[in-house]
Amino acid sequence: MQTPPHLSRRTVVAAAAAGIVTASASPVRASGTRARFHTVGRVSRAADGSVAYTWPGVQFEGRFRGTGVGIVLDDADNDYDVHIDGASAATLVTPGRTTFRIENLPDGVHTVRLVKRTESPWAVGRFGGFLPAPEGAVLAAPRARGRQIEFIGDSFTAGYGNLSDTRDCSGNGGVNRNSSADLAFGTLTARKLDADHQLNAFSGRGMVRNYNGGSAGTDFRTYYDRALLNVDGDVWRRPDSWRPQVVVIGLGINDFSTPLHAGERWATEDELTAAYESAYHGFLDRLRASYGPRTFLVVSATDLGNTAVFVQATRRIVQERNRRGDHRVRHWYYADAGLDHLGCDWHPSVRDHRIIAGLLGDHLASLPLRW
Protein backbone atom coordinates (compact mmCIF):
# COMPACT_ATOMS: atom_id res chain seq x y z
CA MET A 1 0.00 0.00 0.00
CA GLN A 2 1.07 3.60 -0.48
CA THR A 3 1.87 5.50 2.69
CA PRO A 4 -0.38 8.57 3.10
CA PRO A 5 1.76 11.72 3.17
CA HIS A 6 0.60 12.71 6.63
CA LEU A 7 1.77 9.57 8.40
CA SER A 8 5.05 7.67 8.56
CA ARG A 9 5.22 4.14 7.16
CA ARG A 10 5.64 2.78 10.69
CA THR A 11 2.38 4.46 11.69
CA VAL A 12 0.46 2.88 8.85
CA VAL A 13 1.96 -0.57 9.26
CA ALA A 14 0.91 -0.60 12.90
CA ALA A 15 -2.73 -0.86 11.86
CA ALA A 16 -2.66 -1.84 8.19
CA ALA A 17 -2.45 -5.55 8.88
CA ALA A 18 -6.10 -5.44 9.89
CA GLY A 19 -7.02 -3.18 6.99
CA ILE A 20 -8.51 -0.63 9.31
CA VAL A 21 -6.54 2.56 8.80
CA THR A 22 -6.64 5.53 6.45
CA ALA A 23 -5.40 9.08 6.83
CA SER A 24 -6.37 12.42 5.36
CA ALA A 25 -5.78 16.11 5.87
CA SER A 26 -7.87 17.40 8.73
CA PRO A 27 -9.27 20.56 10.25
CA VAL A 28 -8.01 21.60 13.66
CA ARG A 29 -11.10 20.17 15.33
CA ALA A 30 -13.95 17.82 14.53
CA SER A 31 -17.10 19.77 13.75
CA GLY A 32 -20.02 19.00 16.03
CA THR A 33 -18.05 16.91 18.54
CA ARG A 34 -17.42 19.54 21.18
CA ALA A 35 -16.97 17.97 24.61
CA ARG A 36 -17.77 14.46 23.34
CA PHE A 37 -14.65 13.03 24.85
CA HIS A 38 -13.28 12.51 28.35
CA THR A 39 -9.84 13.97 28.99
CA VAL A 40 -7.27 12.36 31.28
CA GLY A 41 -4.43 14.75 32.11
CA ARG A 42 -3.71 18.46 31.91
CA VAL A 43 -4.74 20.31 28.77
CA SER A 44 -5.38 23.85 27.62
CA ARG A 45 -8.82 24.25 26.05
CA ALA A 46 -9.38 26.48 23.03
CA ALA A 47 -12.59 28.38 22.32
CA ASP A 48 -13.38 26.09 19.37
CA GLY A 49 -13.39 22.96 21.56
CA SER A 50 -9.96 21.63 20.59
CA VAL A 51 -7.30 21.10 23.26
CA ALA A 52 -3.54 21.62 23.43
CA TYR A 53 -1.12 19.79 25.72
CA THR A 54 2.51 18.97 26.45
CA TRP A 55 2.57 16.64 29.49
CA PRO A 56 3.14 12.91 28.77
CA GLY A 57 0.36 10.38 29.08
CA VAL A 58 -2.51 12.72 28.22
CA GLN A 59 -5.48 10.63 27.08
CA PHE A 60 -8.78 11.17 25.30
CA GLU A 61 -11.59 8.66 25.64
CA GLY A 62 -14.74 8.48 23.57
CA ARG A 63 -17.67 6.34 22.51
CA PHE A 64 -19.09 5.96 19.03
CA ARG A 65 -21.67 3.99 17.10
CA GLY A 66 -20.88 2.61 13.67
CA THR A 67 -18.09 0.87 11.77
CA GLY A 68 -15.26 3.32 12.39
CA VAL A 69 -13.96 6.51 13.94
CA GLY A 70 -11.73 9.39 12.92
CA ILE A 71 -9.18 11.02 15.23
CA VAL A 72 -8.38 14.67 14.53
CA LEU A 73 -4.77 15.51 15.42
CA ASP A 74 -2.20 18.20 14.80
CA ASP A 75 1.16 17.01 16.17
CA ALA A 76 4.44 16.49 14.35
CA ASP A 77 6.46 15.69 17.49
CA ASN A 78 4.74 13.00 19.56
CA ASP A 79 3.77 9.35 19.28
CA TYR A 80 0.34 7.99 20.19
CA ASP A 81 -1.41 4.70 20.79
CA VAL A 82 -5.00 4.09 19.69
CA HIS A 83 -7.14 1.55 21.53
CA ILE A 84 -10.52 0.33 20.35
CA ASP A 85 -12.72 -1.55 22.81
CA GLY A 86 -9.73 -1.94 25.12
CA ALA A 87 -7.44 -3.50 22.51
CA SER A 88 -4.48 -1.87 20.78
CA ALA A 89 -5.44 -0.81 17.25
CA ALA A 90 -2.61 1.42 16.02
CA THR A 91 0.52 3.35 16.88
CA LEU A 92 0.86 6.84 15.41
CA VAL A 93 4.41 8.12 15.04
CA THR A 94 4.60 11.93 14.74
CA PRO A 95 1.33 11.98 12.77
CA GLY A 96 1.30 15.68 11.86
CA ARG A 97 -1.97 17.38 10.93
CA THR A 98 -4.30 14.57 10.02
CA THR A 99 -7.53 12.71 10.55
CA PHE A 100 -6.52 9.17 11.41
CA ARG A 101 -9.35 6.72 10.73
CA ILE A 102 -10.05 3.30 12.13
CA GLU A 103 -12.39 1.49 9.73
CA ASN A 104 -14.10 -1.84 9.00
CA LEU A 105 -15.20 -2.47 12.57
CA PRO A 106 -18.35 -4.48 13.34
CA ASP A 107 -21.32 -2.15 13.28
CA GLY A 108 -22.23 -1.29 16.85
CA VAL A 109 -21.18 0.76 19.87
CA HIS A 110 -17.43 0.98 20.51
CA THR A 111 -14.99 2.77 22.78
CA VAL A 112 -11.87 4.60 21.62
CA ARG A 113 -8.89 5.76 23.65
CA LEU A 114 -6.06 7.93 22.32
CA VAL A 115 -2.96 8.23 24.53
CA LYS A 116 0.14 10.39 24.10
CA ARG A 117 3.11 8.12 24.63
CA THR A 118 5.94 10.62 24.61
CA GLU A 119 7.22 13.73 26.34
CA SER A 120 7.19 17.07 24.53
CA PRO A 121 8.05 19.87 26.95
CA TRP A 122 8.83 22.26 24.09
CA ALA A 123 6.27 21.12 21.50
CA VAL A 124 2.49 21.42 21.74
CA GLY A 125 0.18 18.68 20.53
CA ARG A 126 -3.44 19.38 19.56
CA PHE A 127 -6.46 17.11 19.59
CA GLY A 128 -9.59 18.16 17.74
CA GLY A 129 -12.01 15.40 18.71
CA PHE A 130 -13.44 12.18 17.29
CA LEU A 131 -15.34 11.88 14.00
CA PRO A 132 -17.94 9.21 13.18
CA ALA A 133 -17.86 7.00 10.12
CA PRO A 134 -20.65 7.54 7.54
CA GLU A 135 -24.05 6.77 9.09
CA GLY A 136 -22.39 6.50 12.51
CA ALA A 137 -22.32 8.88 15.45
CA VAL A 138 -20.02 10.06 18.19
CA LEU A 139 -21.85 9.40 21.46
CA ALA A 140 -21.76 11.22 24.78
CA ALA A 141 -18.40 11.23 26.50
CA PRO A 142 -17.61 8.51 29.03
CA ARG A 143 -18.12 9.58 32.61
CA ALA A 144 -15.18 10.74 34.71
CA ARG A 145 -13.99 8.16 37.21
CA GLY A 146 -14.56 8.70 40.91
CA ARG A 147 -11.02 7.74 41.81
CA GLN A 148 -8.25 10.22 40.97
CA ILE A 149 -4.47 9.94 41.35
CA GLU A 150 -1.84 12.51 40.42
CA PHE A 151 1.71 11.41 39.66
CA ILE A 152 4.49 14.00 39.89
CA GLY A 153 7.99 13.13 38.84
CA ASP A 154 10.81 12.83 36.37
CA SER A 155 11.83 10.36 33.65
CA PHE A 156 11.01 7.33 35.80
CA THR A 157 7.44 8.59 36.16
CA ALA A 158 7.21 9.50 32.45
CA GLY A 159 8.18 6.02 31.23
CA TYR A 160 11.37 7.26 29.55
CA GLY A 161 12.79 4.59 27.24
CA ASN A 162 10.79 1.81 28.88
CA LEU A 163 10.05 -0.12 25.67
CA SER A 164 13.70 -0.70 24.87
CA ASP A 165 15.51 -3.95 25.59
CA THR A 166 18.90 -2.27 25.46
CA ARG A 167 20.28 0.65 27.47
CA ASP A 168 21.86 2.22 24.40
CA CYS A 169 18.95 3.42 22.25
CA SER A 170 21.03 5.16 19.60
CA GLY A 171 20.56 2.25 17.22
CA ASN A 172 16.93 1.30 17.85
CA GLY A 173 15.04 4.52 17.21
CA GLY A 174 16.04 6.71 20.13
CA VAL A 175 14.20 7.57 23.31
CA ASN A 176 10.88 8.69 21.82
CA ARG A 177 10.36 5.57 19.72
CA ASN A 178 11.08 3.51 22.82
CA SER A 179 8.92 5.34 25.36
CA SER A 180 5.34 4.73 26.42
CA ALA A 181 3.76 6.74 29.20
CA ASP A 182 0.82 4.35 28.87
CA LEU A 183 3.05 1.59 30.25
CA ALA A 184 4.66 3.66 33.02
CA PHE A 185 4.06 2.51 36.59
CA GLY A 186 1.68 5.38 37.39
CA THR A 187 -0.59 4.70 34.45
CA LEU A 188 -0.53 0.96 35.16
CA THR A 189 -1.48 1.62 38.77
CA ALA A 190 -4.32 3.97 37.85
CA ARG A 191 -5.68 1.55 35.26
CA LYS A 192 -5.74 -1.32 37.73
CA LEU A 193 -7.63 0.87 40.21
CA ASP A 194 -9.93 2.28 37.51
CA ALA A 195 -8.81 5.79 38.41
CA ASP A 196 -8.42 8.93 36.36
CA HIS A 197 -4.89 10.23 36.64
CA GLN A 198 -2.42 12.90 35.71
CA LEU A 199 1.16 12.06 34.72
CA ASN A 200 2.91 15.35 35.44
CA ALA A 201 6.46 14.25 34.69
CA PHE A 202 9.45 16.05 33.19
CA SER A 203 12.62 14.10 32.47
CA GLY A 204 15.85 15.45 33.89
CA ARG A 205 14.19 17.79 36.38
CA GLY A 206 14.61 17.68 40.12
CA MET A 207 13.17 19.47 43.11
CA VAL A 208 16.03 22.00 43.21
CA ARG A 209 18.73 20.52 40.94
CA ASN A 210 18.40 19.03 37.48
CA TYR A 211 20.35 16.09 36.11
CA ASN A 212 24.11 16.71 36.27
CA GLY A 213 23.47 20.32 37.25
CA GLY A 214 21.90 21.25 33.90
CA SER A 215 19.48 24.12 33.16
CA ALA A 216 20.57 26.00 36.28
CA GLY A 217 17.98 28.43 37.57
CA THR A 218 15.04 26.17 36.78
CA ASP A 219 13.75 22.94 38.27
CA PHE A 220 10.54 20.92 38.27
CA ARG A 221 8.77 23.54 40.37
CA THR A 222 9.30 26.07 37.56
CA TYR A 223 6.89 24.11 35.36
CA TYR A 224 4.51 22.32 37.69
CA ASP A 225 1.68 24.86 37.58
CA ARG A 226 1.59 24.97 33.77
CA ALA A 227 -0.69 23.26 31.30
CA LEU A 228 1.74 24.05 28.46
CA LEU A 229 5.32 23.56 29.60
CA ASN A 230 6.78 25.70 26.81
CA VAL A 231 4.77 28.81 27.66
CA ASP A 232 6.38 31.01 30.31
CA GLY A 233 3.85 32.09 32.89
CA ASP A 234 1.19 29.65 31.73
CA VAL A 235 -1.12 28.49 34.51
CA TRP A 236 -3.28 25.38 34.29
CA ARG A 237 -6.87 26.15 35.18
CA ARG A 238 -7.66 23.32 37.53
CA PRO A 239 -11.32 22.33 37.26
CA ASP A 240 -13.24 21.89 40.49
CA SER A 241 -13.72 18.25 39.50
CA TRP A 242 -9.98 17.52 39.82
CA ARG A 243 -9.33 16.75 43.48
CA PRO A 244 -7.18 13.61 43.67
CA GLN A 245 -7.43 11.37 46.68
CA VAL A 246 -3.72 10.52 46.27
CA VAL A 247 -0.71 12.42 44.93
CA VAL A 248 2.47 10.39 44.40
CA ILE A 249 5.62 12.56 44.22
CA GLY A 250 8.86 11.18 42.80
CA LEU A 251 11.44 13.99 42.72
CA GLY A 252 15.04 13.57 43.84
CA ILE A 253 16.71 11.17 41.42
CA ASN A 254 18.06 14.09 39.40
CA ASP A 255 18.95 16.10 42.50
CA PHE A 256 21.25 13.44 43.93
CA SER A 257 22.27 10.89 41.27
CA THR A 258 25.20 12.95 39.89
CA PRO A 259 28.00 14.70 41.82
CA LEU A 260 28.05 18.44 42.34
CA HIS A 261 30.24 20.49 40.01
CA ALA A 262 32.27 23.62 40.61
CA GLY A 263 30.13 26.71 40.17
CA GLU A 264 26.83 25.18 41.29
CA ARG A 265 24.77 26.91 43.97
CA TRP A 266 25.61 24.29 46.59
CA ALA A 267 29.20 23.78 47.64
CA THR A 268 28.54 20.53 49.48
CA GLU A 269 26.07 17.68 49.46
CA ASP A 270 24.84 18.81 52.88
CA GLU A 271 23.95 22.23 51.44
CA LEU A 272 22.14 20.60 48.52
CA THR A 273 20.24 18.29 50.87
CA ALA A 274 19.16 21.19 53.09
CA ALA A 275 17.91 23.14 50.05
CA TYR A 276 16.11 20.04 48.75
CA GLU A 277 14.30 19.41 52.04
CA SER A 278 13.28 23.07 52.39
CA ALA A 279 11.95 23.19 48.82
CA TYR A 280 10.15 19.87 49.27
CA HIS A 281 8.31 21.20 52.32
CA GLY A 282 7.29 24.24 50.30
CA PHE A 283 6.05 22.03 47.48
CA LEU A 284 4.02 19.91 49.90
CA ASP A 285 2.54 23.12 51.30
CA ARG A 286 1.40 24.04 47.75
CA LEU A 287 -0.20 20.66 47.22
CA ARG A 288 -1.91 20.70 50.59
CA ALA A 289 -3.29 24.19 49.96
CA SER A 290 -4.56 23.14 46.53
CA TYR A 291 -6.07 19.76 47.37
CA GLY A 292 -7.07 20.11 50.99
CA PRO A 293 -6.31 18.12 54.15
CA ARG A 294 -7.80 14.78 53.12
CA THR A 295 -5.57 14.03 50.11
CA PHE A 296 -2.76 11.57 50.75
CA LEU A 297 0.62 12.94 49.67
CA VAL A 298 2.97 10.02 49.02
CA VAL A 299 6.64 11.03 49.06
CA SER A 300 8.51 8.36 47.11
CA ALA A 301 12.17 7.43 46.78
CA THR A 302 14.12 4.66 45.13
CA ASP A 303 17.57 3.12 45.38
CA LEU A 304 20.19 5.22 43.60
CA GLY A 305 22.99 2.74 44.17
CA ASN A 306 25.73 5.35 44.70
CA THR A 307 24.13 7.24 47.60
CA ALA A 308 21.49 6.87 50.29
CA VAL A 309 20.93 10.60 50.70
CA PHE A 310 17.73 10.54 48.58
CA VAL A 311 15.87 8.06 50.74
CA GLN A 312 17.24 9.55 53.96
CA ALA A 313 16.12 13.06 53.01
CA THR A 314 12.63 11.97 51.99
CA ARG A 315 12.18 10.01 55.20
CA ARG A 316 13.12 13.07 57.25
CA ILE A 317 10.64 15.17 55.28
CA VAL A 318 7.79 12.77 55.99
CA GLN A 319 8.75 12.40 59.64
CA GLU A 320 8.69 16.19 60.03
CA ARG A 321 5.27 16.51 58.37
CA ASN A 322 3.92 13.78 60.62
CA ARG A 323 5.47 15.49 63.67
CA ARG A 324 3.56 18.64 62.70
CA GLY A 325 0.34 16.64 62.72
CA ASP A 326 -0.15 15.88 59.02
CA HIS A 327 -0.43 12.10 59.01
CA ARG A 328 -1.65 11.97 55.42
CA VAL A 329 1.90 12.51 54.20
CA ARG A 330 3.38 9.05 53.75
CA HIS A 331 6.73 7.63 52.64
CA TRP A 332 7.07 5.00 49.91
CA TYR A 333 10.49 3.54 49.19
CA TYR A 334 10.69 1.11 46.28
CA ALA A 335 13.56 -1.16 45.43
CA ASP A 336 13.46 -4.66 44.06
CA ALA A 337 16.24 -7.05 43.14
CA GLY A 338 14.25 -7.99 40.05
CA LEU A 339 14.54 -4.55 38.44
CA ASP A 340 16.76 -4.81 35.37
CA HIS A 341 16.91 -1.14 34.28
CA LEU A 342 17.16 -2.24 30.66
CA GLY A 343 15.35 0.83 29.33
CA CYS A 344 17.18 3.59 27.51
CA ASP A 345 20.04 5.07 29.54
CA TRP A 346 19.55 2.66 32.46
CA HIS A 347 15.91 3.55 32.99
CA PRO A 348 13.27 1.06 34.15
CA SER A 349 12.02 -1.31 31.47
CA VAL A 350 8.36 -2.15 30.89
CA ARG A 351 8.92 -5.21 33.04
CA ASP A 352 10.34 -2.97 35.78
CA HIS A 353 7.36 -0.63 35.55
CA ARG A 354 5.04 -3.58 36.13
CA ILE A 355 7.01 -4.53 39.23
CA ILE A 356 7.01 -0.94 40.52
CA ALA A 357 3.26 -0.65 39.85
CA GLY A 358 2.73 -3.76 41.94
CA LEU A 359 4.79 -2.31 44.80
CA LEU A 360 2.87 0.97 44.60
CA GLY A 361 -0.43 -0.89 44.53
CA ASP A 362 0.57 -2.66 47.75
CA HIS A 363 1.45 0.67 49.35
CA LEU A 364 -1.82 2.32 48.33
CA ALA A 365 -3.71 -0.70 49.65
CA SER A 366 -2.20 0.02 53.07
CA LEU A 367 -3.65 3.55 53.16
CA PRO A 368 -7.11 4.14 54.70
CA LEU A 369 -8.52 5.39 51.41
CA ARG A 370 -12.27 5.80 51.15
CA TRP A 371 -12.87 5.83 47.46
mmCIF file of all heavy atoms in Angstrom, residues 328-347:
data_model
loop_
_atom_site.group_PDB
_atom_site.id
_atom_site.type_symbol
_atom_site.label_atom_id
_atom_site.label_comp_id
_atom_site.label_asym_id
_atom_site.label_seq_id
_atom_site.Cartn_x
_atom_site.Cartn_y
_atom_site.Cartn_z
ATOM 1 N N ARG A 328 -1.328 12.408 56.775
ATOM 2 C CA ARG A 328 -1.652 11.969 55.420
ATOM 3 C C ARG A 328 -0.511 12.260 54.454
ATOM 4 O O ARG A 328 -0.701 12.214 53.239
ATOM 5 C CB ARG A 328 -2.963 12.606 54.953
ATOM 6 C CG ARG A 328 -4.149 12.023 55.726
ATOM 7 C CD ARG A 328 -5.488 12.398 55.157
ATOM 8 N NE ARG A 328 -6.535 11.690 55.877
ATOM 9 C CZ ARG A 328 -7.483 10.955 55.290
ATOM 10 N NH1 ARG A 328 -7.525 10.846 53.977
ATOM 11 N NH2 ARG A 328 -8.398 10.345 56.017
ATOM 12 N N VAL A 329 0.665 12.524 54.986
ATOM 13 C CA VAL A 329 1.897 12.508 54.202
ATOM 14 C C VAL A 329 2.594 11.196 54.537
ATOM 15 O O VAL A 329 2.890 10.926 55.702
ATOM 16 C CB VAL A 329 2.802 13.710 54.523
ATOM 17 C CG1 VAL A 329 4.098 13.628 53.729
ATOM 18 C CG2 VAL A 329 2.079 15.017 54.224
ATOM 19 N N ARG A 330 2.822 10.381 53.535
ATOM 20 C CA ARG A 330 3.380 9.045 53.747
ATOM 21 C C ARG A 330 4.655 8.857 52.923
ATOM 22 O O ARG A 330 4.858 9.540 51.904
ATOM 23 C CB ARG A 330 2.358 7.979 53.355
ATOM 24 C CG ARG A 330 1.061 8.042 54.144
ATOM 25 C CD ARG A 330 1.264 7.759 55.635
ATOM 26 N NE ARG A 330 0.014 7.813 56.386
ATOM 27 C CZ ARG A 330 -0.741 6.754 56.641
ATOM 28 N NH1 ARG A 330 -0.389 5.554 56.191
ATOM 29 N NH2 ARG A 330 -1.858 6.888 57.345
ATOM 30 N N HIS A 331 5.479 7.929 53.347
ATOM 31 C CA HIS A 331 6.727 7.626 52.642
ATOM 32 C C HIS A 331 6.601 6.281 51.945
ATOM 33 O O HIS A 331 6.101 5.310 52.513
ATOM 34 C CB HIS A 331 7.905 7.585 53.622
ATOM 35 C CG HIS A 331 9.240 7.564 52.947
ATOM 36 N ND1 HIS A 331 9.987 6.411 52.770
ATOM 37 C CD2 HIS A 331 9.960 8.562 52.378
ATOM 38 C CE1 HIS A 331 11.112 6.709 52.149
ATOM 39 N NE2 HIS A 331 11.125 8.004 51.894
ATOM 40 N N TRP A 332 7.047 6.252 50.684
ATOM 41 C CA TRP A 332 7.069 5.004 49.915
ATOM 42 C C TRP A 332 8.442 4.845 49.278
ATOM 43 O O TRP A 332 8.834 5.632 48.427
ATOM 44 C CB TRP A 332 5.984 5.007 48.831
ATOM 45 C CG TRP A 332 6.072 3.843 47.884
ATOM 46 C CD1 TRP A 332 6.142 2.514 48.218
ATOM 47 C CD2 TRP A 332 6.111 3.895 46.457
ATOM 48 N NE1 TRP A 332 6.217 1.739 47.085
ATOM 49 C CE2 TRP A 332 6.200 2.560 45.985
ATOM 50 C CE3 TRP A 332 6.068 4.932 45.520
ATOM 51 C CZ2 TRP A 332 6.261 2.244 44.633
ATOM 52 C CZ3 TRP A 332 6.127 4.621 44.174
ATOM 53 C CH2 TRP A 332 6.217 3.293 43.739
ATOM 54 N N TYR A 333 9.173 3.842 49.745
ATOM 55 C CA TYR A 333 10.494 3.537 49.189
ATOM 56 C C TYR A 333 10.381 2.257 48.380
ATOM 57 O O TYR A 333 9.895 1.238 48.879
ATOM 58 C CB TYR A 333 11.517 3.346 50.307
ATOM 59 C CG TYR A 333 12.872 2.868 49.821
ATOM 60 C CD1 TYR A 333 13.697 3.693 49.065
ATOM 61 C CD2 TYR A 333 13.311 1.584 50.125
ATOM 62 C CE1 TYR A 333 14.932 3.249 48.617
ATOM 63 C CE2 TYR A 333 14.551 1.126 49.694
ATOM 64 C CZ TYR A 333 15.354 1.963 48.934
ATOM 65 O OH TYR A 333 16.568 1.517 48.490
ATOM 66 N N TYR A 334 10.762 2.310 47.108
ATOM 67 C CA TYR A 334 10.686 1.109 46.284
ATOM 68 C C TYR A 334 12.062 0.718 45.763
ATOM 69 O O TYR A 334 12.830 1.526 45.275
ATOM 70 C CB TYR A 334 9.690 1.281 45.139
ATOM 71 C CG TYR A 334 10.040 2.320 44.091
ATOM 72 C CD1 TYR A 334 10.732 1.971 42.931
ATOM 73 C CD2 TYR A 334 9.655 3.645 44.244
ATOM 74 C CE1 TYR A 334 11.034 2.909 41.959
ATOM 75 C CE2 TYR A 334 9.943 4.591 43.277
ATOM 76 C CZ TYR A 334 10.635 4.218 42.137
ATOM 77 O OH TYR A 334 10.941 5.155 41.180
ATOM 78 N N ALA A 335 12.343 -0.535 45.953
ATOM 79 C CA ALA A 335 13.559 -1.158 45.429
ATOM 80 C C ALA A 335 13.269 -2.640 45.319
ATOM 81 O O ALA A 335 12.586 -3.207 46.167
ATOM 82 C CB ALA A 335 14.750 -0.913 46.346
ATOM 83 N N ASP A 336 13.739 -3.247 44.277
ATOM 84 C CA ASP A 336 13.462 -4.663 44.058
ATOM 85 C C ASP A 336 14.632 -5.272 43.302
ATOM 86 O O ASP A 336 15.093 -4.708 42.304
ATOM 87 C CB ASP A 336 12.166 -4.834 43.265
ATOM 88 C CG ASP A 336 11.684 -6.281 43.231
ATOM 89 O OD1 ASP A 336 12.362 -7.097 42.576
ATOM 90 O OD2 ASP A 336 10.652 -6.575 43.845
ATOM 91 N N ALA A 337 15.099 -6.398 43.790
ATOM 92 C CA ALA A 337 16.241 -7.052 43.138
ATOM 93 C C ALA A 337 15.925 -7.463 41.713
ATOM 94 O O ALA A 337 16.828 -7.691 40.909
ATOM 95 C CB ALA A 337 16.667 -8.270 43.956
ATOM 96 N N GLY A 338 14.634 -7.567 41.387
ATOM 97 C CA GLY A 338 14.245 -7.988 40.052
ATOM 98 C C GLY A 338 14.286 -6.899 39.006
ATOM 99 O O GLY A 338 14.121 -7.164 37.813
ATOM 100 N N LEU A 339 14.496 -5.643 39.410
ATOM 101 C CA LEU A 339 14.538 -4.550 38.438
ATOM 102 C C LEU A 339 15.792 -4.667 37.585
ATOM 103 O O LEU A 339 16.902 -4.773 38.111
ATOM 104 C CB LEU A 339 14.508 -3.200 39.155
ATOM 105 C CG LEU A 339 13.275 -2.905 40.017
ATOM 106 C CD1 LEU A 339 13.397 -1.534 40.664
ATOM 107 C CD2 LEU A 339 12.003 -2.981 39.180
ATOM 108 N N ASP A 340 15.609 -4.638 36.257
ATOM 109 C CA ASP A 340 16.762 -4.814 35.368
ATOM 110 C C ASP A 340 17.290 -3.510 34.787
ATOM 111 O O ASP A 340 18.401 -3.464 34.276
ATOM 112 C CB ASP A 340 16.413 -5.787 34.227
ATOM 113 C CG ASP A 340 15.179 -5.378 33.436
ATOM 114 O OD1 ASP A 340 14.985 -4.178 33.160
ATOM 115 O OD2 ASP A 340 14.384 -6.278 33.071
ATOM 116 N N HIS A 341 16.501 -2.439 34.822
ATOM 117 C CA HIS A 341 16.914 -1.135 34.278
ATOM 118 C C HIS A 341 17.464 -1.275 32.865
ATOM 119 O O HIS A 341 18.474 -0.675 32.512
ATOM 120 C CB HIS A 341 17.931 -0.464 35.200
ATOM 121 C CG HIS A 341 17.370 -0.055 36.522
ATOM 122 N ND1 HIS A 341 16.671 1.112 36.721
ATOM 123 C CD2 HIS A 341 17.385 -0.689 37.731
ATOM 124 C CE1 HIS A 341 16.286 1.197 37.983
ATOM 125 N NE2 HIS A 341 16.702 0.117 38.622
ATOM 126 N N LEU A 342 16.743 -2.024 32.040
ATOM 127 C CA LEU A 342 17.159 -2.243 30.658
ATOM 128 C C LEU A 342 16.594 -1.208 29.693
ATOM 129 O O LEU A 342 16.820 -1.299 28.482
ATOM 130 C CB LEU A 342 16.750 -3.649 30.197
ATOM 131 C CG LEU A 342 17.638 -4.795 30.675
ATOM 132 C CD1 LEU A 342 17.073 -6.126 30.207
ATOM 133 C CD2 LEU A 342 19.067 -4.631 30.173
ATOM 134 N N GLY A 343 15.836 -0.232 30.205
ATOM 135 C CA GLY A 343 15.352 0.828 29.334
ATOM 136 C C GLY A 343 16.484 1.737 28.891
ATOM 137 O O GLY A 343 17.635 1.606 29.327
ATOM 138 N N CYS A 344 16.168 2.666 28.010
ATOM 139 C CA CYS A 344 17.184 3.591 27.506
ATOM 140 C C CYS A 344 17.907 4.269 28.673
ATOM 141 O O CYS A 344 17.280 4.703 29.642
ATOM 142 C CB CYS A 344 16.537 4.665 26.641
ATOM 143 S SG CYS A 344 15.698 4.069 25.157
ATOM 144 N N ASP A 345 19.216 4.338 28.572
ATOM 145 C CA ASP A 345 20.039 5.067 29.541
ATOM 146 C C ASP A 345 19.817 4.590 30.972
ATOM 147 O O ASP A 345 19.757 5.390 31.909
ATOM 148 C CB ASP A 345 19.766 6.578 29.440
ATOM 149 C CG ASP A 345 19.989 7.118 28.040
ATOM 150 O OD1 ASP A 345 20.985 6.730 27.406
ATOM 151 O OD2 ASP A 345 19.153 7.920 27.575
ATOM 152 N N TRP A 346 19.675 3.282 31.149
ATOM 153 C CA TRP A 346 19.550 2.665 32.459
ATOM 154 C C TRP A 346 18.242 3.025 33.161
ATOM 155 O O TRP A 346 18.161 3.015 34.386
ATOM 156 C CB TRP A 346 20.740 3.022 33.360
ATOM 157 C CG TRP A 346 22.004 2.350 32.954
ATOM 158 C CD1 TRP A 346 22.881 2.761 31.996
ATOM 159 C CD2 TRP A 346 22.559 1.132 33.496
ATOM 160 N NE1 TRP A 346 23.940 1.880 31.893
ATOM 161 C CE2 TRP A 346 23.770 0.877 32.808
ATOM 162 C CE3 TRP A 346 22.142 0.244 34.499
ATOM 163 C CZ2 TRP A 346 24.566 -0.225 33.087
ATOM 164 C CZ3 TRP A 346 22.942 -0.854 34.780
ATOM 165 C CH2 TRP A 346 24.135 -1.089 34.074
ATOM 166 N N HIS A 347 17.215 3.288 32.395
ATOM 167 C CA HIS A 347 15.912 3.553 32.990
ATOM 168 C C HIS A 347 15.125 2.251 33.159
ATOM 169 O O HIS A 347 15.441 1.241 32.534
ATOM 170 C CB HIS A 347 15.128 4.543 32.128
ATOM 171 C CG HIS A 347 15.551 5.958 32.335
ATOM 172 N ND1 HIS A 347 16.734 6.447 31.834
ATOM 173 C CD2 HIS A 347 14.959 6.981 33.013
ATOM 174 C CE1 HIS A 347 16.852 7.730 32.183
ATOM 175 N NE2 HIS A 347 15.796 8.070 32.903
#
